[in-house]
């Protein structure tokens, strides 16, 4: 099982305590009614899905309950780093 | 190619089965083809076969980065069914089930398709209502599906625990009698053999590294680890790696790739007569002809290309299996493995044209692509040959994520597809 470092608890805990929450740094549109169909498609459905470095959100659901961001390699499943929500993309 | 028959088996048996020739040649890439299929799984090989057989396009290459059938074709739990809720899905999956019938005869290769029935268990009131709705919808679409009481379910599958104090009580079940299993490897091998006999080149150990587009944006060919191959028509049928290949053509796709795990037990005598699925507790099971119990789990939660998953997913599934079938509590498991499944936002596949002229795609089958193998191959071949989708796969286009005409099977069929 993967061990994940929660940047809030500052502890490495088992994956079972965490919930994956999809690709990170997707900004919610500020003026939704101004968006074109293409922009809605991109916001709602298009995902990076890279083979390699992936920025993603996790939630320490059975711990502090907070969302944070992580960089993980999708081929090895190895975490490069985790950082608090709101911090710049790493 | 030797045609398989009782006589040919008898003659070869006299020589101790030592003189069988290779079933298809291991081809080297030519500089150009009329059509290229990327991905040598059942879907891709099927598409190549139908291109050659139905549309006379025989100058075709199937390029596979590993060995054929070594991806999801050899990693699934071989379940075949078509009891999907929506009209579009029912037509798509039932098209495949109709082709499974007679496939062994058509390919002259035993795919071991066994219509042993697929039974889906209802564990709560919501399941009962939802399955009955499925049954009625299926009936209107000409797809067989019937409701069983707990006693009838037990009679159909004796190892089932239907006692009222069970952890996962069985309130009934939906049974599709035409559903069943097939031997997954033979589907890939059978299509490969039949396609090669019609002139298709099957090229293994040849990964696509780039897609070349002309000044007008149309496809010109693919760069591979074994050199450049030109073709005006390229069909991508690469399951979990579709996003990576589409990126090479400059296209972003609405796909996420997840590991999906399965496992088999030690082989035992025939004890399990059908396929049983439980969407609520994320477990499904059948018994292979070798005697192994074949068990499928839900997907892991994160995007990954690692072809393996976490043990707690397997534990969760086995806990449910032991509750529903107490007879198997002391079984030992032999192997677990994972495959990478490409999941779309609405859990329905994408099968058709792309914004790039000459580039076609068959992807997004998620956790349930094996059942669709002959249908997906047939429809991808049609789409590539005519440069327009067949009416069965027309709704499964890429545009639906922009215009909102989703085919949202996710809500209808929970985790297992």
């Amino acid at each position: 099982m993967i061990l994940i470092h929660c940047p809030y608890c500052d502890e490495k805990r088992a994956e079972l305590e965490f919930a994956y929450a999809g690709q990170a740094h997707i900004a919610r549109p500020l003026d939704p009614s101004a968006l074109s169909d293409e922009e809605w498609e991109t916001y709602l459905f298009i995902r990076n899905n890279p083979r390699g470095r992936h920025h993603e959100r996790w939630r320490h659901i059975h711990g502090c309950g907070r969302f944070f961001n992580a960089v993980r390699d999708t081929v090895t499943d190895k975490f490069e780093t985790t950082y608090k929500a709101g911090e710049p993309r790493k | 190619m030797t045609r398989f028959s009782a006589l040919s088996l008898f003659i070869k048996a006299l020589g101790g089965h030592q003189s069988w020739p290779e079933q298809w040649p291991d081809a080297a890439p030519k500089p150009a083809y009329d059509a290229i299929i990327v991905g040598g799984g059942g879907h891709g090989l099927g598409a190549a076969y139908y291109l050659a057989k139905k549309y006379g396009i025989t100058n075709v290459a199937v390029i596979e980065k590993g060995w054929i059938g070594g991806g999801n074709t050899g990693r699934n739990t071989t379940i075949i069914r078509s009891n999907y809720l929506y009209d579009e899905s029912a037509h798509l999956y039932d098209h495949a089930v109709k082709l499974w019938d007679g496939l062994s005869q058509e390919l002259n290769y035993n795919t071991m398709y066994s219509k042993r029935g697929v039974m889906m268990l209802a564990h709560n009131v919501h399941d009962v209502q939802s399955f009955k709705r499925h049954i009625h919808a299926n009936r209107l679409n000409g797809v067989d599906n019937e409701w069983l009481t707990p006693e009838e379910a037990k009679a159909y599958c004796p190892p089932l625990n239907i006692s009222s104090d069970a952890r996962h009580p069985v309130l009934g079940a939906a049974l599709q009698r035409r559903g069943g299993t097939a031997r997954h490897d033979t589907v890939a091998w059978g299509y490969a053999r039949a396609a090669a006999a019609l002139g298709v080149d099957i090229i293994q150990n040849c990964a696509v590294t780039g897609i070349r587009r002309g000044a007008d944006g149309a496809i010109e060919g693919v760069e591979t680890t074994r050199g450049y191959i030109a073709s005006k028509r390229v069909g991508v049928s690469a399951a979990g790696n579709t996003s990576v290949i589409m990126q090479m053509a400059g296209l972003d796709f609405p796909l996420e790739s997840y590991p999906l795990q399965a496992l088999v037990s030690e082989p035992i005598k025939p004890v399990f007569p059908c396929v049983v699925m439980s969407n609520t507790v994320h477990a499904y099971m059948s018994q292979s002809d070798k005697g192994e119990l074949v068990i499928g789990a839900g997907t892991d939660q994160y995007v990954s290309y690692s072809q393996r998953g976490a043990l707690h997913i397997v534990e969760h599934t086995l806990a449910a299996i032991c509750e529903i079938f107490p007879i198997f509590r002391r079984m030992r498991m032999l192997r677990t493995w994972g495959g990478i499944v490409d999941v779309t936002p609405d859990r329905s596949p994408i099968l058709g044209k792309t914004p790039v002229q000459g580039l076609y795609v068959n992807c997004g089958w998620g956790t349930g692509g094996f059942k669709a193998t002959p249908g997906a191959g047939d429809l991808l071949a049609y789409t590539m040959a005519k440069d327009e989708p067949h009416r069965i796969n027309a709704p499964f286009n890429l545009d639906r994520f922009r215009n909102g005409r989703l085919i949202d099977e996710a809500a209808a069929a929970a985790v297992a597809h």
Side-chain angles (χ1 to χ4, degrees):
Chain A
M1 188 181 297
I2 295 173
L3 296 178
I4 303 172
H5 178 260
C6 172
Y8 294 100
C9 304
D10 199 20
E11 265 191 83
K12 261 196 167 169
R13 308 290 296 174
E15 184 204 332
L16 269 182
E17 290 190 12
F18 297 86
Y20 178 74
Q23 186 180 321
H25 302 293
I26 297 175
R28 201 179 168 83
L30 292 173
D31 184 6
S33 57
L35 255 53
S36 68
D37 288 353
E38 284 75 16
E39 286 166 326
W40 269 119
E41 181 192 17
T42 303
Y43 168 65
L44 288 175
F45 299 130
I46 304 294
R47 295 294 175 260
N48 287 336
N49 202 25
R51 199 181 164 90
R53 241 170 146 255
H54 187 228
H55 289 77
E56 60 197 20
R57 295 195 310 156
W58 285 81
R59 187 179 178 203
H60 195 182
I61 195 162
H62 299 299
C64 62
R66 299 180 78 172
F67 282 93
F68 58 90
N69 293 325
V71 183
R72 184 176 52 91
D73 188 302
T74 59
V75 178
T76 61
D77 288 341
K78 198 175 157 103
F79 278 83
E80 186 181 306
T81 183
T82 58
Y83 53 99
K84 292 174 182 171
E87 288 181 14
R89 187 187 176 92
K90 292 200 173 171
Chain B
M1 189 182 77
T2 319
R3 195 174 159 76
F4 291 116
S5 66
L7 181 65
S8 71
L9 281 176
F10 177 73
I11 291 169
K12 297 287 184 187
L14 293 178
H17 289 297
Q18 296 301 302
S19 58
W20 287 104
E22 63 176 7
Q23 295 296 308
W24 64 87
D26 190 18
K30 290 192 286 191
Y33 288 93
D34 291 339
I36 291 175
I37 308 282
V38 178
H43 287 219
L45 293 163
Y49 168 74
Y50 291 114
L51 271 175
K53 174 89 180 177
K54 285 182 146 177
Y55 307 105
I57 304 170
T58 55
N59 186 23
V60 176
V62 177
I63 53 180
E64 163 59 43
K65 70 173 176 162
W67 66 96
I68 67 158
N72 291 354
T73 297
R75 292 165 187 268
N76 60 73
T77 51
T78 79
I79 297 170
I80 296 167
R81 63 185 177 88
S82 59
N83 52 355
Y84 281 70
L85 179 63
Y86 293 115
D87 295 350
E88 296 89 344
S89 315
H91 295 153
L92 180 69
Y93 289 95
D94 212 49
H95 176 60
V97 169
K98 284 171 185 158
L99 287 173
W100 278 110
D101 250 339
L103 188 64
S104 295
Q105 286 74 18
E106 180 174 354
L107 299 178
N108 183 228
Y109 207 89
N110 189 2
T111 60
M112 301 187 192
Y113 172 41
S114 154
K115 286 184 263 190
R116 58 185 66 183
V118 171
M119 194 164 77
M120 301 173 84
L121 300 179
H123 295 297
N124 50 49
V125 173
H126 172 77
D127 282 353
V128 174
Q129 291 169 340
S130 153
F131 285 179
K132 285 189 173 170
R133 182 182 173 209
H134 275 70
I135 287 167
H136 294 313
N138 289 159
R139 221 179 42 190
L140 291 174
N141 278 318
V143 176
D144 73 303
N145 199 359
E146 62 192 271
W147 179 253
L148 301 185
T149 64
E151 292 72 25
E152 288 168 339
K154 170 99 179 158
Y156 197 75
C157 182
L160 189 63
N161 176 18
I162 56 164
S163 71
S164 56
D165 59 351
R167 166 76 181 81
H168 304 294
V170 175
L171 303 186
L175 172 67
Q176 185 178 24
R177 291 182 191 270
R178 284 194 308 150
T181 59
R183 166 122 193 252
H184 46 199
D185 299 316
T186 64
V187 179
W189 299 336
Y191 273 128
R193 175 170 169 275
L198 294 169
V200 172
D201 278 357
I202 292 158
I203 304 159
Q204 302 182 91
N205 297 309
C206 180
V208 172
T209 55
I211 287 182
R212 207 183 278 181
R213 293 172 61 180
D216 58 349
I219 285 285
E220 289 196 331
V222 295
E223 310 273 0
T224 75
T225 49
R226 294 174 72 175
Y228 175 69
I229 311 173
S231 182
K232 297 277 185 212
R233 271 185 288 209
V234 175
V236 176
S237 188
N241 285 294
T242 304
S243 291
V244 177
I245 290 175
M246 287 301 162
Q247 283 284 339
M248 295 171 190
L251 297 177
D252 293 319
F253 254 58
L255 290 173
E256 290 187 298
S257 298
Y258 293 95
L260 179 66
Q261 297 186 76
L263 57 153
V264 293
S265 73
E266 56 191 343
I268 51 171
K269 290 197 173 179
V271 63
F272 203 75
C274 60
V275 181
V276 175
M277 311 183 60
S278 172
N279 290 350
T280 309
V281 294
H282 298 188
Y284 33 105
M285 183 157 87
S286 63
Q287 187 173 20
S288 74
D289 290 348
K290 273 191 288 184
E292 300 156 329
L293 298 177
V294 182
I295 298 171
T299 59
D300 277 70
Q301 55 175 341
Y302 47 78
V303 165
S304 174
Y305 289 83
S306 64
Q307 290 193 319
R308 60 181 175 183
L311 189 62
H312 65 90
I313 304 282
V314 170
E315 283 184 318
H316 174 83
T317 297
L318 285 178
I321 294 282
C322 290
E323 289 290 344
I324 301 168
F325 308 105
I327 185 178
F328 298 129
R329 275 189 182 164
R330 292 193 293 157
M331 289 287 292
R332 283 167 294 188
M333 296 298 143
L334 277 191
R335 306 188 298 278
T336 75
W337 64 89
I340 301 304
V341 299
D342 45 329
V343 176
T344 58
D346 63 358
R347 304 298 190 268
S348 287
I350 302 167
L351 176 46
K353 298 172 73 167
T354 69
V356 176
Q357 178 61 38
L359 183 64
Y360 307 88
V361 71
N362 167 43
C363 69
W365 291 93
T367 58
F370 176 73
K371 66 174 79 71
T373 302
D378 183 38
L379 294 167
L380 179 59
Y382 182 100
T383 308
M384 289 178 71
K386 311 265 182 184
D387 193 34
E388 63 181 16
H390 190 274
R391 66 185 162 77
I392 295 177
N393 66 310
F396 296 88
N397 54 40
L398 195 51
D399 294 337
R400 71 181 192 265
F401 299 102
R402 190 175 315 142
N403 62 29
R405 284 192 65 87
L406 302 181
I407 304 161
D408 194 7
E409 284 287 340
V415 66
H417 276 246

